[in-house]
Amino acid sequence: LDCWIVDWGDQAGYKLGCGEWFDLYLGYGKVLSCRLELGMDWYIITGHQDVRFYLKQNETYHIGL
């Protein structure tokens, strides 16, 4: 797919595409501000030095837009 779908519960999903910013909630009050990108797989870029983390397929992530 060319986007990630944000599940809003009973509402239609929001499509999140390359270059969009969001907050990724890690738990224990920790939040990463990151940008979504697509290479061979989806990944996020975060931090001052553009650290990259791949996202796992079929995994659920808690985010804020």
Side-chain angles (χ1 to χ4, degrees):
L1 295 172
D2 63 347
C3 63
W4 272 74
I5 305 297
V6 178
D7 183 4
W8 291 106
D10 60 349
Q11 299 177 356
Y14 175 79
K15 294 180 179 180
L16 195 62
C18 286
E20 293 194 60
W21 286 86
F22 60 93
D23 291 330
L24 178 63
Y25 299 111
L26 302 176
Y28 301 104
K30 303 293 183 188
V31 179
L32 277 180
S33 180
C34 51
R35 185 177 79 229
L36 183 66
E37 295 295 341
L38 177 62
M40 294 296 287
D41 288 307
W42 289 98
Y43 63 96
I44 58 170
I45 298 175
T46 188
H48 297 294
Q49 296 183 347
D50 291 340
V51 177
R52 291 163 168 79
F53 295 100
Y54 279 97
L55 298 172
K56 293 178 67 176
Q57 291 184 12
N58 301 316
E59 187 70 31
T60 299
Y61 297 94
H62 296 273
I63 68 166
L65 298 175

